[in-house]
Amino acid sequence: DSGVTQTPKHLITATGQRVTLRCSPRSGDLSVYWYQQSLDQGLQFLIQYYNGEERAKGNILERFSAQQFPDLHSELNLSSLELGDSALYFCASSYGDAPNEKLFFGSGTQLSVL
Amino acid sequence: AQTVTQSQPEMSVQEAETVTLSCTYDTSESDYYLFWYKQPPSRQMILVIRQEAYKQQNATENRFSVNFQKAAKSFSLKISDSQLGDAAMYFCAYRSAQIAGNQFYFGTGTSLTVIP
């Protein structure tokens, strides 16, 4: 168990809908990262937050947004969902945001858009 | 952007034998970090081993070791005495040593099967 908690584990929804994925980092970790894993794109970095502030942005669509709250948990909001958004969404955390830090991953949220 | 290439989509190994997974990367940076992550059927990504580019010595973690060739931009993972629990998807990853935007870049993965 990595200590990173993601909910829900599975999510099935329809095109055009909006969903929220939740992540609780390991106790004491200040950084949260979101990744999308799909069969055709592999693991893609979406966004990183450090102590409540956005630190780095990757290939995140405008329909997607995220935030990190004062208690350090994070939420990834996906709106106007399309079939192609079906993927496994990972959250990871680390204590800081130094490049040598290890990331600890949650078990992911499997999103299916029908 | 940096790219990470894993040219072996699938590999298999007999239990107790040794297997090597390949990874190459492309970067113009001189300082960076390389990682191998394991993703078993449970889906969770687990860190296997980490290598700092400025260190010439290859990293080792129990049965796992790497062969880091900086000039060739190669970072292979050797698993010795393979066990059934090693069966998983293995991802090679690169991370810049620069603070800003130091995201991970992952390869496409190698699926490892361990044959009893």
Side-chain angles (χ1 to χ4, degrees), chain A residues 30-35 44-61 64-68 74 76 96-99 103, chain B residues 95-96 98-105:
Chain A
L30 301 175
S31 264
V32 170
Y33 307 75
W34 286 98
Y35 283 84
Q44 297 284 319
F45 169 70
L46 296 178
I47 198 163
Q48 178 203 355
Y49 282 84
Y50 175 74
N51 203 19
E53 294 190 359
E54 183 182 304
R55 183 69 92 188
K57 214 167 188 176
N59 301 321
I60 188 167
L61 300 172
F64 296 0
S65 64
Q67 59 184 83
Q68 185 179 27
S74 178
L76 178 66
D97 67 347
L103 292 194
Chain B
R95 193 177 197 188
S96 170
Q98 297 174 14
I99 297 298
N102 57 341
Q103 60 173 289
F104 276 74
Y105 293 90

Side-chain angles (χ1 to χ4, degrees), chain A residues 18-95:
Chain A
R18 172 189 169 93
V19 297
T20 297
L21 312 184
R22 183 187 169 97
C23 170
S24 294
R26 288 189 324 155
S27 177
D29 281 0
L30 301 175
S31 264
V32 170
Y33 307 75
W34 286 98
Y35 283 84
Q36 178 193 59
Q37 185 180 30
S38 60
L39 288 176
D40 56 342
Q41 296 286 333
L43 266 161
Q44 297 284 319
F45 169 70
L46 296 178
I47 198 163
Q48 178 203 355
Y49 282 84
Y50 175 74
N51 203 19
E53 294 190 359
E54 183 182 304
R55 183 69 92 188
K57 214 167 188 176
N59 301 321
I60 188 167
L61 300 172
E62 286 190 11
R63 301 183 286 108
F64 296 0
S65 64
Q67 59 184 83
Q68 185 179 27
F69 294 85
D71 67 351
L72 301 177
H73 91 270
S74 178
E75 293 181 356
L76 178 66
N77 299 298
L78 315 176
S79 61
S80 302
L81 285 168
E82 302 175 0
L83 296 177
D85 297 327
S86 295
L88 184 57
Y89 290 84
F90 280 109
C91 167
S93 75
S94 63
Y95 171 70

Side-chain angles (χ1 to χ4, degrees), chain B residues 27-102:
Chain B
T27 184
S28 58
E29 299 176 333
S30 60
D31 197 13
Y32 47 87
Y33 296 86
L34 297 165
F35 304 78
W36 278 98
Y37 275 87
K38 167 185 176 181
Q39 187 179 37
S42 67
R43 306 183 321 191
Q44 189 162 27
M45 298 283 285
I46 302 166
L47 177 65
V48 175
I49 201 164
R50 177 183 62 183
Q51 174 79 43
E52 293 90 341
Y54 63 85
K55 287 187 177 179
Q56 292 186 337
Q57 185 174 6
N58 290 324
T60 298
E61 289 285 345
N62 301 314
R63 297 182 295 106
F64 299 87
S65 62
V66 299
N67 183 6
F68 173 49
Q69 302 289 329
K70 190 172 184 179
K73 297 180 183 176
S74 170
F75 181 61
S76 61
L77 174 69
K78 185 171 84 170
I79 306 174
S80 304
D81 186 25
S82 296
Q83 300 176 358
L84 295 178
D86 295 333
M89 196 77 167
Y90 286 81
F91 292 94
C92 176
Y94 170 102
R95 193 177 197 188
S96 170
Q98 297 174 14
I99 297 298
N102 57 341

